[in-house]
Amino acid sequence: AVEECMLNGVYTLGQEHADLYPGKEAGLTAMKEAVSETLGLELNYYAMVDLAGFQKLVDAMGGINLDIGKRIPIGGVGSEIYGWIEPGTNVHLDGYHALWFARSRADSDDYERMTRQKCVMAAMAKQLDPGTVATKFVDLAEAGSDIARTDAGTDQLPELVELAIKGKALPIESVNFAPPLIRTSSPDFTLIRRTVTETIDASEANDKIRRPHEQQRPRPHQRIPGFHGEDNFPELQDQDQQQDSQRNQPVTEHDAKC
């Protein structure tokens, strides 16, 4: 018989078979392998933040802004609804409300919740300063191993921060692996991998059209624990004004239907 396992159960399955991952975080490594195999991509690193850590991280960064199209309940599904996140343009969410916006299950299905989660991730990617995020993540990881974990060492953070800064200037392309494209009960993995490859290829081709010459990258303002001075960041053209203007731009329905 073929054993089936939902993706959100892979972490637990890995923990239950920790002997297969000696010296490693079994659940996280198993999840990393499963996602890598599903997408047909090599995943270099993982980063995991628990719910409390997510709320603290968003609060530490000053919150995010979203254009919200409908009321989102706080509570429900086994408990009373005791609050609402109201629709509006450029709505500012602190960590508590960002977490509820991403995870609220009442009056919605899993696919709508997935879309809201993508909105939150897109907002964080576009609005938060990568250097500061890395600093706060390190702080959270040092505060408690269950709050935030990653297999990326501090010596790799400068390169990741530079990559994140570069990505802020580009649009985010994404694909929903949900009906009608994918039957989640019986996923077509060949179709998933082909879609990933085609989407990445198209996105990279569009980048070349949009940017005939490589944009120079700004240096982050924050120094990150474990960094060895500013030599990690070449003296490139300063784009601080552009980054500051992007900081408070809300993620809208143009990016994803929030």
Side-chain angles (χ1 to χ4, degrees), residues 6-71:
M6 300 295 288
L7 184 60
N8 58 7
V10 171
Y11 179 90
T12 301
L13 189 64
Q15 293 287 76
E16 293 173 350
H17 295 82
D19 58 302
L20 299 177
Y21 303 98
K24 298 180 180 180
E25 292 273 4
L28 290 171
T29 304
M31 178 68 77
K32 183 178 176 182
E33 290 179 350
V35 173
S36 177
E37 183 68 19
T38 299
L39 301 180
L41 296 174
E42 178 184 358
L43 302 184
N44 301 100
Y45 310 109
Y46 67 73
M48 184 182 77
V49 182
D50 70 4
L51 301 183
F54 173 86
Q55 182 172 330
K56 290 179 180 178
L57 181 61
V58 174
D59 280 337
M61 299 302 300
I64 58 174
N65 297 336
L66 290 175
D67 285 355
I68 300 175
K70 62 175 286 187
R71 296 182 89 199

Side-chain angles (χ1 to χ4, degrees), residues 22-172:
K24 298 180 180 180
E25 292 273 4
L28 290 171
T29 304
M31 178 68 77
K32 183 178 176 182
E33 290 179 350
V35 173
S36 177
E37 183 68 19
T38 299
L39 301 180
L41 296 174
E42 178 184 358
L43 302 184
N44 301 100
Y45 310 109
Y46 67 73
M48 184 182 77
V49 182
D50 70 4
L51 301 183
F54 173 86
Q55 182 172 330
K56 290 179 180 178
L57 181 61
V58 174
D59 280 337
M61 299 302 300
I64 58 174
N65 297 336
L66 290 175
D67 285 355
I68 300 175
K70 62 175 286 187
R71 296 182 89 199
I72 302 298
I74 297 175
V77 187
S79 66
E80 294 293 326
I81 293 176
Y82 50 88
W84 296 88
I85 299 172
E86 299 294 343
T89 301
N90 202 20
V91 178
H92 185 77
L93 301 179
D94 60 12
Y96 173 82
H97 290 93
L99 182 61
W100 268 109
F101 180 84
R103 301 195 72 248
S104 179
R105 293 176 177 271
D107 301 330
S108 63
D109 58 24
D110 286 341
Y111 302 119
E112 179 184 321
R113 190 162 55 94
M114 287 165 54
T115 299
R116 283 189 269 111
Q117 290 168 357
K118 286 173 60 178
C119 287
V120 170
M121 289 188 291
M124 295 179 71
K126 290 297 182 182
Q127 297 172 20
L128 306 187
D129 176 73
T132 307
V133 171
T135 301
K136 298 301 182 183
F137 188 91
V138 170
D139 291 343
L140 288 174
E142 292 177 346
S145 60
D146 291 334
I147 295 178
R149 279 181 278 176
T150 181
D151 59 349
T154 54
D155 59 325
Q156 289 144 343
L157 289 179
E159 182 179 356
L160 294 176
V161 169
E162 285 196 75
L163 181 62
I165 292 171
K166 184 177 179 180
K168 287 187 69 174
L170 299 172
I172 297 176

